[in-house]
Amino acid sequence: MTASSTRRTTAARSRLAAVGAIAVAGTLLLTGCGDQTQDKDKNSGSASTSTAPLADKLPQAIRSKGKIKVGSDIAYAPVEFKDSSGKVVGLDPDLAAAMGKQLGVTFEFENGTFDALLTGLRSGRNDIAMSAMTDNKNRQQGIDPDTGKKVGEGVDFVDYLTAGVSIYTRKGDTQGITNWSDLCGKKVAVERGTVSEDLAKQEAKKCPGGKKLAIEAFDDDQQSQTRLRSGGVDAASSDFPVAAYAVKTSGGGKDFQIVGDQVEAAPYGIAVAKNDAQLRDALQAAMNAIIKNGEYKKILEKWGAQDGAVKESAINGGK
């Protein structure tokens, strides 16, 4: 999920796999975000801190707890969502579990609305935010993309994937929409706080008189999809892997279609507080370790995201 005018999406930031290549567990159901209480499902597979190869890189407080609390919008399939049994699954949880084996801790995902994740991180509710979050300068510096004013101290990012933003419509009902300028005079659904919302706002300012772009912003992507499915809006926008997954799974592939090319490709990053450089660097080391040992590649292939792979994790690589 990107958020910020620089694009939850580095430059058409490596294309993720085509819709047909996205791996889906046939019967998995998409579910909406709940409240911000901790999800009871814990990612397993971490080694003990006494045997994990990178455990000594973690802050002692994290090692003592044996866990990293993760703020996440768990309604963004296939990046993170709940399956039909209520278990948290997806690209991010799988990557976190693999990193946990390197660090000797578990990553516990806590559900929250996307636009509140950085607030939760700054308040200490969570140790990190991992939620298909686009790394960009506004977030790094704590700048509000609407006003250009500083609203917080910002965060650091551990980058791990690239993705762009897509527009999709009801299948067979594109209304001539092929790019962002075609949205003028129409209604679009987006998730609040994302790059999709930023792009829609930018486009709305360009629309000629008499062709206003109406933007409906929701707490999570599932609500946007529901609104589009019901005909309440003409189009919706989200990160390409999420849009592609919705196109493939919703209504058995009969509900939606992607229109035009993805834009504003950018890195996904794990957000870490500015004053937590040791944790940031430990996460980067763990990400690079799973890139090197091949686990990263297998996980991306499982979720159809291999075209967005990076060769090495960067810190604050977003523009």
Side-chain angles (χ1 to χ4, degrees), residues 11 23 44 93 162 181:
S44 59
T162 59
S181 62

Side-chain angles (χ1 to χ4, degrees), residues 4-75:
S4 158
S5 47
T6 322
R7 240 248 39 84
R8 276 139 208 218
T9 314
T10 287
R13 292 162 174 165
S14 289
R15 298 305 190 227
L16 291 178
V19 175
I22 286 186
V24 294
T27 58
L28 295 183
L29 301 178
L30 305 183
T31 58
C33 279
D35 59 24
Q36 296 196 15
T37 57
Q38 180 173 310
D39 190 272
K40 298 303 181 183
D41 181 78
K42 298 180 181 180
N43 288 295
S44 59
S46 64
S48 71
T49 54
S50 61
T51 60
L54 299 177
D56 61 350
K57 291 185 175 295
L58 285 169
Q60 186 57 51
I62 296 289
R63 293 185 67 183
S64 298
K65 289 190 301 182
K67 64 183 179 181
I68 293 175
K69 294 178 64 177
V70 185
S72 188
D73 170 18
I74 308 174

Side-chain angles (χ1 to χ4, degrees), residues 5 9 30 45 66 72 84 105 108 141 219 222 234 295 313:
S5 47
T9 314
L30 305 183
S72 188
S84 56
V105 295
E108 295 186 356
Q141 298 170 5
D219 284 342
Q222 297 306 305
D234 304 298
E295 285 189 88
S313 174

Side-chain angles (χ1 to χ4, degrees), residues 217-263:
F218 297 91
D219 284 342
D220 64 58
D221 197 68
Q222 297 306 305
Q223 294 173 19
S224 294
Q225 291 180 27
T226 298
R227 185 65 168 155
L228 175 60
R229 195 181 294 111
S230 69
V233 292
D234 304 298
S237 175
S238 56
D239 291 358
F240 172 73
V242 176
Y245 188 89
V247 166
K248 187 171 181 66
T249 60
S250 182
K254 297 179 180 179
D255 287 348
F256 305 130
Q257 70 180 84
I258 288 179
V259 294
D261 297 326
Q262 60 175 317
V263 299

Side-chain angles (χ1 to χ4, degrees), residues 28-311:
L28 295 183
L29 301 178
L30 305 183
T31 58
C33 279
D35 59 24
Q36 296 196 15
T37 57
Q38 180 173 310
D39 190 272
K40 298 303 181 183
D41 181 78
K42 298 180 181 180
N43 288 295
S44 59
S46 64
S48 71
T49 54
S50 61
T51 60
L54 299 177
D56 61 350
K57 291 185 175 295
L58 285 169
Q60 186 57 51
I62 296 289
R63 293 185 67 183
S64 298
K65 289 190 301 182
K67 64 183 179 181
I68 293 175
K69 294 178 64 177
V70 185
S72 188
D73 170 18
I74 308 174
Y76 212 61
V79 187
E80 51 260 319
F81 63 110
K82 293 182 181 180
D83 67 13
S84 56
S85 70
K87 180 182 179 181
V88 178
V89 297
L91 173 68
D92 280 355
D94 281 359
L95 289 173
M99 293 167 67
K101 289 187 287 185
Q102 298 293 320
L103 296 167
V105 295
T106 56
F107 286 67
E108 295 186 356
F109 279 70
E110 181 177 277
N111 198 17
T113 55
F114 184 74
D115 61 346
L117 295 182
L118 294 186
T119 300
L121 175 60
R122 295 187 190 103
S123 71
R125 186 206 312 274
N126 297 303
D127 300 308
I128 63 174
M130 188 174 187
S131 191
M133 185 175 289
T134 299
D135 170 7
N136 56 50
K137 293 299 182 184
N138 282 337
R139 286 178 172 157
Q140 292 171 24
Q141 298 170 5
I143 303 297
D144 184 324
D146 291 334
T147 64
K149 295 181 179 179
K150 191 170 180 62
V151 293
E153 72 173 334
V155 296
D156 285 335
F157 285 98
V158 178
D159 297 340
Y160 63 96
L161 191 75
T162 59
V165 176
S166 291
I167 300 170
Y168 57 104
T169 66
R170 289 181 296 280
K171 195 164 188 175
D173 187 22
T174 68
Q175 300 189 54
I177 298 171
T178 60
N179 56 51
W180 283 86
S181 62
D182 293 332
L183 292 174
C184 292
K186 296 180 172 61
K187 295 180 181 180
V188 64
V190 297
E191 181 174 357
R192 190 174 292 108
T194 62
V195 172
S196 289
E197 183 181 25
D198 291 342
L199 289 174
K201 288 179 178 179
Q202 290 173 28
E203 194 60 48
K205 294 177 182 178
K206 304 175 188 175
C207 291
K211 295 191 71 176
K212 179 182 177 182
L213 168 55
I215 303 168
E216 295 190 12
F218 297 91
D219 284 342
D220 64 58
D221 197 68
Q222 297 306 305
Q223 294 173 19
S224 294
Q225 291 180 27
T226 298
R227 185 65 168 155
L228 175 60
R229 195 181 294 111
S230 69
V233 292
D234 304 298
S237 175
S238 56
D239 291 358
F240 172 73
V242 176
Y245 188 89
V247 166
K248 187 171 181 66
T249 60
S250 182
K254 297 179 180 179
D255 287 348
F256 305 130
Q257 70 180 84
I258 288 179
V259 294
D261 297 326
Q262 60 175 317
V263 299
E264 294 289 329
Y268 279 176
I270 302 170
V272 187
K274 287 285 188 184
N275 63 358
D276 216 347
Q278 186 177 357
L279 175 58
R280 178 200 67 197
D281 293 347
L283 293 171
Q284 183 191 31
M287 184 64 72
N288 280 327
I290 66 172
I291 290 173
K292 185 176 180 179
N293 71 16
E295 285 189 88
Y296 173 83
K297 181 175 183 288
K298 291 178 181 178
I299 292 168
L300 266 60
E301 289 176 344
K302 173 183 176 181
W303 296 104
Q306 61 270 23
D307 284 354
V310 297
K311 294 181 179 179

